[in-house]
Amino acid sequence: MTKAVTDVEHIEELRELARTARQHIVRTIHKAGAGHLGGPLSAVDILTTLYFDVMNVHPDNPTWEDRDRFILSKGHSAIALYTVLAMRGFFPISELDTFDAMDSRLQGHPDMKLLPGIDMSTGSLGQGVSAAVGMALGAKLQGREFRVFCLIGDGESQEGQVWEAADVAAKYGLDNLIVIMDFNKLQQFGWGKGSLRASPVANPKERWAAFGWNVGVVNDGNDIAELLAALHTPAAPGRPSIWIAHTVKGKGVRFMENDYVWHAKVPSLQELNDALLELGGTPCI
Amino acid sequence: MYLTEERVAMRDAFGESLLSLSQADERVYALDGDLANSTKVDRVAHENPEKFLQMGIAEQNMVGVAAGLAAVGLQPWVTSFAAFTSRRALDQVLVSVAQPRLDVKLVGAYSGLLNGKTGKSHQGLEDIAVMRALPNMTIFAPADAVEVSLVMKWANEHSGPVYIRLARDPSPIVFPSSAAHDVAKAVWLCEGTDVTLVTTGIQTPRAVAVANLARDQGLSVGVLHVPCIKPLDVPSIVSAAQKTGAIVTAEEHNIIGGLGSAVAEALSETWPVPIVRVGVKDKNSESGPSDALLKKYELDEDAMMQAIHRALRMKERFQ
């Protein structure tokens, strides 16, 4: 599925997929009457790039042993992952309508035992990174070639476990591990009000480098072309990699962008239609 | 019932058995939180080093890494003290291991009171209670070094989360080296008609000694050892209640939430009889010599004997 990272048509195709995914996301959250929006909208370009280009996966054989793994450590962005998995063919798009409902395979946070394509159950922040380290280490121990991708939040990086994992990954030289930080600069409530609201994690680039990681920066983590270029960069031998992807929380819907209240706010019908119009979708009646 | 004069530490049997498993089963890896020379998993580090994974003093990450290893087909054995496995990494045990039913073995060495005079921060007196509250978790507390190996064999052969509770100090051998009983079931160590001592872990050899003592006083005390606390072998517990009409539970654990609670819950819903629980009575403990700790925190022979007499008095009253 991988094409040249400069293939303009391919990039446009991925952008279109991300735009469609955004429509599904806002529609699903409105319908479910619950869930997160800001984080899924900031992360969806990263997920689209991974599942429609970078990762070696087979939706018709989701438990294939040598598939690349993906762990959504910021599990509250589950709806973005579900949407991209459904669009990639892991399960029917129509199943998005069951998000958060009783007996659904689409739980509020991802459940690896329920839904095809989910490689790790997550939700309690900080834990996905450790599991990613375990999978990457497991691949090395078994002499297997797959890679492990893990998406973390910037707010999540306040968890000490993230840094415990960072330490061990570097010690074992896990160059098959690629972490991406969705650096959208906002968390649920944060440290202060208005303009005083500080970024959840200070100096992530320097911190990860100090732990011995190969650190890259994606200046616009909502830009498919930049993400493709970054995620096709060869690994640094003997070192785990992290891409600090500068993103915009609520990206794609202007009234949601950079506003912390949209972390987990449910849009009204009017807000949904405004959002769908902006995303090039069909308004709901 | 016979107990050996010779004492063997469970941790020595644990190190030996994990080394064997790591040699025999390519999936088995030992994870250490920098306590290998205490837990005796250093046997793997020295004799099968490629199966030994040092995770440093970071238990939360260690449990998470184990989940990832299990998710790609390996069988990690997470080794630390009971206090840290069950308390420090509890959310990781629940969310990353128990909920997705991953094949991770969690070892709580140094459980209970007797931890080489380290005191209350290191004593593991709530691990059974904590682990019992987690769906999908299987909990073992073997009685001696022989049963440690049987329990580990069971855990190796059964996929899914298992917590194994071990003791630090050398203790008498209860089972012959040829023992091959089903560790998922409770085991009658001696028969009795007046009262049954239902015990687990390192408290079991102490209970056998008390049963022998009681026999000298003309009492007929049975001992039912429970290696697997969850899922509990309820039919055996019920048959003990039916047979003797009174139960004394005993464990080196807080009186809240452990074996005593499990037995009381099971019998109150099936065959209620008087139950007296022996355990640490919801107190913080302290550092001190083993015998003094067992006495002060009411786990010694006197405490168990008093519990037997109390149970017998209650039994008479109810009849």
Side-chain angles (χ1 to χ4, degrees), chain B:
Chain B
M1 175 74 197
Y2 175 74
L3 291 174
T4 59
E5 287 295 323
E6 182 205 9
R7 287 165 179 251
V8 183
M10 289 188 197
R11 55 178 172 159
D12 288 324
F14 168 70
E16 176 82 28
S17 291
L18 193 53
L19 174 63
S20 304
L21 287 175
S22 76
Q23 289 162 336
D25 184 342
E26 60 181 15
R27 302 169 306 145
V28 169
Y29 281 83
L31 275 62
D32 176 34
D34 194 39
L35 293 168
N37 45 350
S38 295
T39 61
K40 299 302 176 192
V41 77
D42 59 352
R43 288 291 305 279
V44 183
H46 294 313
E47 294 171 58
N48 194 9
E50 68 267 29
K51 289 303 201 76
F52 177 83
L53 300 171
Q54 181 56 263
M55 288 291 124
I57 307 167
E59 294 79 11
Q60 301 175 39
N61 179 60
M62 174 160 62
V63 170
V65 169
L69 290 168
V72 296
L74 300 177
Q75 187 183 80
W77 287 65
V78 172
T79 61
S80 184
F81 290 175
F84 309 134
T85 309
S86 69
R87 303 200 305 248
R88 189 74 187 236
L90 173 59
D91 191 46
Q92 287 73 15
V93 168
L94 175 66
V95 174
S96 288
V97 174
Q99 287 180 345
R101 304 190 295 280
L102 288 168
D103 193 21
V104 174
K105 311 307 170 189
L106 302 155
V107 179
Y110 283 49
S111 71
L113 275 179
L114 309 185
N115 278 316
K117 302 188 180 179
T118 48
K120 58 182 173 289
S121 64
H122 282 54
Q123 286 161 336
L125 291 168
E126 54 293 291
D127 54 332
I128 299 175
V130 165
M131 292 293 174
R132 275 185 67 220
L134 311 185
N136 305 326
M137 187 61 69
T138 297
I139 306 170
F140 286 104
D144 67 4
V146 174
E147 203 177 37
V148 166
S149 304
L150 296 180
V151 162
M152 291 174 70
K153 185 170 180 290
W154 190 99
N156 174 242
E157 290 169 356
H158 291 75
S159 180
V162 176
Y163 175 73
I164 301 175
R165 181 177 215 249
L166 302 176
R168 172 187 183 274
D169 288 350
S171 53
I173 293 293
V174 177
F175 295 103
S177 57
S178 59
H181 57 280
D182 178 4
V183 291
K185 301 278 176 257
V187 193
W188 283 101
L189 295 180
C190 53
E191 303 282 330
T193 50
D194 294 330
V195 64
T196 306
L197 267 167
V198 181
T199 69
T200 192
I202 195 163
Q203 194 67 15
T204 289
R206 297 179 194 136
V208 169
V210 167
N212 290 341
L213 208 64
R215 190 164 303 112
D216 298 342
Q217 297 177 9
L219 290 171
S220 174
V221 176
V223 177
L224 182 66
H225 165 61
V226 181
C228 184
I229 297 157
K230 186 186 176 185
L232 189 67
D233 177 7
V234 175
S236 292
I237 308 277
V238 169
S239 89
Q242 290 171 334
K243 195 167 166 186
T244 58
I247 299 285
V248 171
T249 64
E251 62 200 307
E252 197 176 309
H253 185 274
N254 193 335
I255 202 162
I256 294 175
L259 174 71
S261 295
V263 168
E265 288 159 16
L267 289 181
S268 64
E269 291 180 339
T270 51
W271 197 272
V273 295
I275 299 168
V276 178
R277 292 168 299 151
V278 173
V280 177
K281 305 232 167 19
D282 198 26
K283 287 175 184 163
N284 289 318
S285 179
E286 61 196 286
S287 45
S290 298
D291 288 349
L293 283 173
L294 292 177
K295 184 171 180 57
K296 180 169 176 181
Y297 294 94
E298 301 175 70
L299 287 161
D300 63 353
E301 289 179 0
D302 283 351
M304 282 189 279
M305 197 61 90
Q306 282 173 28
I308 287 168
H309 284 290
R310 210 178 125 207
L312 287 171
R313 286 195 301 275
M314 287 169 73
K315 181 180 165 182
E316 273 173 36
R317 203 153 20 104
F318 287 135
Q319 270 169 350

Side-chain angles (χ1 to χ4, degrees), chain A:
Chain A
M1 163 137 237
T2 299
K3 295 186 183 152
V5 298
T6 52
D7 181 334
V8 178
E9 260 181 54
H10 177 54
I11 291 169
E12 203 43 54
E13 182 192 6
L14 294 181
R15 282 186 178 140
E16 191 55 36
L17 286 167
R19 204 157 60 94
T20 307
R22 285 190 161 87
Q23 296 169 20
H24 285 304
I25 290 169
V26 290
R27 216 181 277 124
T28 306
I29 297 302
H30 171 78
K31 185 174 165 53
H36 294 73
L37 262 185
L41 291 176
S42 74
V44 73
D45 304 293
I46 297 165
L47 294 168
T48 303
T49 306
L50 285 173
Y51 275 96
F52 282 91
D53 183 282
V54 177
M55 283 172 55
N56 186 16
V57 291
H58 294 297
D60 50 352
N61 186 10
T63 58
W64 175 46
E65 280 195 354
D66 287 316
R67 71 191 183 278
D68 287 339
R69 277 19 179 222
F70 174 75
I71 299 173
L72 184 69
S73 197
K74 46 172 291 186
H76 54 283
S77 290
I79 188 57
L81 177 58
Y82 298 158
T83 300
V84 170
L85 288 176
M87 289 171 64
R88 187 72 173 79
F90 281 88
F91 52 88
I93 296 265
S94 59
E95 202 169 339
L96 292 177
D97 286 346
T98 71
F99 176 60
D100 270 352
M102 292 298 292
D103 301 320
S104 172
R105 301 196 291 178
L106 280 61
Q107 290 289 296
H109 292 87
D111 187 327
M112 67 188 287
K113 289 290 184 190
L114 290 179
L115 192 64
I118 302 295
D119 291 320
M120 185 67 206
S121 298
T122 52
S124 184
L125 293 177
Q127 297 194 22
V129 197
S130 297
V133 170
M135 289 183 190
L137 179 57
K140 292 270 181 196
L141 294 171
Q142 296 172 93
R144 288 155 67 186
E145 297 290 318
F146 66 79
R147 295 182 296 169
V148 181
F149 295 87
C150 177
L151 184 65
I152 65 170
D154 49 2
E156 176 180 22
S157 303
Q158 292 163 356
E159 291 282 4
Q161 186 180 353
V162 170
W163 304 100
E164 293 183 359
D167 201 18
V168 169
K171 284 208 166 64
Y172 283 92
L174 301 178
D175 50 18
N176 53 350
L177 173 63
I178 301 101
V179 172
I180 303 150
M181 181 194 280
D182 181 8
F183 194 17
N184 62 29
K185 327 290 188 303
L186 285 173
Q187 56 192 124
Q188 176 163 335
F189 185 66
W191 299 98
K193 287 178 182 160
S195 58
L196 293 175
R197 201 169 287 279
S199 167
V201 58
N203 308 319
K205 193 177 163 207
E206 292 76 7
R207 282 205 214 181
W208 284 93
F211 275 82
W213 283 53
N214 175 45
V215 186
V217 175
V218 183
N219 290 315
D220 183 352
N222 295 116
D223 184 84
I224 299 279
E226 276 199 50
L227 287 167
L228 280 172
L231 295 171
H232 280 284
T233 307
R239 291 162 76 199
S241 290
I242 180 163
W243 289 96
I244 313 281
H246 290 271
T247 55
V248 171
K249 195 153 180 167
K251 177 73 182 181
V253 181
R254 261 167 300 171
F255 64 88
M256 295 180 185
E257 287 182 1
N258 289 315
D259 186 351
Y260 79 99
V261 301
W262 283 100
H263 175 80
K265 188 179 162 186
V266 176
S268 66
L269 184 60
Q270 182 61 53
E271 287 165 333
L272 170 66
N273 283 334
D274 290 348
L276 286 172
L277 266 174
E278 198 176 336
L279 294 167
T282 315
C284 296
I285 300 153

